[in-house]
Structures are given as structure tokens and as C-alpha cells.
């Protein structure tokens, strides 16, 4: 079983930065792929980024490429999402996800989810 707890969300002006963190429980964290999705009210969850177990492979949605960076620290059981150049359209609840392997950009395929953290970007 894996438990995920996100932190780092908040209110920021357009053009600003935030760093989200996701702390994972479980001794096998270093063998899991991790990722981030986001969701606005009334919309489906949208893939943001993912990273494989070693950190050697990363995946990004086109909408965040060049602005967001996903990374992980297996010693701390934590995955990060550094978000730069934030835009009002990045306003969403951001969810951390985990699974034994990379599950792609379809939210239905990821097994474990955190509770989410709100990110609000003002114009």
C-alpha cells in the first residue's frame, strides 16, 4: 500500500513559481513511477508530468513543457514538481500519483492518488 501526501500549493501571481512536494509512505518508493495530474471543477483529470523509478526518464504534457520540472529524491521518499512561469490556466487541484510502472497520461491507469493540493494563479 502507498500513501501520498501533497504540499506546496497556494496562491501566486502569473509569471511566478511554486514547488509542489509529494511525500510517499512505503519501503518500495524507489521502485515506483510517480506523477502529477491536475483537475479543474467539472473537467477530467489532466496529465501533467511523470517520472520513472530512477528519475532517468521524465514525461510532460505539452502544455507544461519548458515551464514545469518533475524530480524525485528516493532517499526522502519525495517527488517534486517545480512550476515556473505560471499562468492563470494552470489554476487547478494538483494530485500526486504512483504506480509500479509508468502508466501514461490516462488517469484511469494510475493506482494510487493523493488528496490533492490547490494551486491558484492570479492574472
Amino acid at each position: 500500500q502507498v500513501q501520498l501526501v501533497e504540499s506546496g500549493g497556494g496562491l501566486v501571481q502569473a509569471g511566478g513559481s511554486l514547488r509542489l512536494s509529494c511525500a510517499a509512505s512505503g519501503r518500495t518508493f524507489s521502485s515506483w513511477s510517480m506523477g502529477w495530474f491536475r483537475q479543474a471543477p467539472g473537467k477530467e483529470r489532466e496529465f501533467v508530468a511523470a517520472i520513472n523509478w530512477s528519475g532517468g526518464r521524465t514525461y510532460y504534457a505539452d502544455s507544461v513543457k519548458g515551464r514545469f520540472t518533475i524530480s524525485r529524491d528516493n532517499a526522502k521518499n519525495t517527488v517534486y514538481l517545480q512550476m515556473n512561469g505560471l499562468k492563470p490556466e494552470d489554476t487547478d487541484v494538483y494530485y500526486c500519483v504512483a504506480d509500479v510502472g509508468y502508466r501514461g497520461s490516462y488517469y484511469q491507469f494510475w493506482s494510487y492518488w493523493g488528496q490533492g493540493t490547490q494551486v491558484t494563479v492570479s492574472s
Side-chain angles (χ1 to χ4, degrees):
Q1 191 74 359
V2 175
Q3 290 188 324
L4 307 172
V5 179
E6 303 98 334
S7 62
L11 174 64
V12 64
Q13 287 189 332
S17 298
L18 282 174
R19 187 176 81 156
L20 304 184
S21 299
C22 173
S25 65
R27 291 178 291 179
T28 59
F29 172 81
S30 61
S31 65
W32 290 68
S33 289
M34 306 292 295
W36 293 90
F37 280 74
R38 64 187 182 184
Q39 186 174 26
K43 294 189 176 181
E44 280 203 341
R45 293 185 178 184
E46 174 191 20
F47 174 76
V48 176
I51 189 167
N52 76 331
W53 67 273
S54 68
R57 284 194 174 184
T58 56
Y59 310 84
Y60 294 96
D62 288 342
S63 58
V64 306
K65 277 181 185 176
R67 299 188 298 124
F68 291 9
T69 302
I70 189 170
S71 62
R72 66 190 296 160
D73 186 337
N74 287 344
K76 296 182 178 179
N77 281 15
T78 301
V79 64
Y80 304 98
L81 185 68
Q82 177 67 43
M83 305 186 294
N84 299 328
L86 283 162
K87 305 174 181 180
E89 52 263 43
D90 293 318
T91 295
D92 275 320
V93 177
Y94 283 71
Y95 296 90
C96 178
V97 297
D99 214 308
V100 293
Y102 173 59
R103 296 305 185 201
S105 60
Y106 295 98
Y107 71 89
Q108 300 94 328
F109 295 158
W110 290 84
S111 298
Y112 297 98
W113 291 75
Q115 293 299 306
T117 185
Q118 177 70 48
V119 171
T120 303
V121 185
S122 63
S123 57

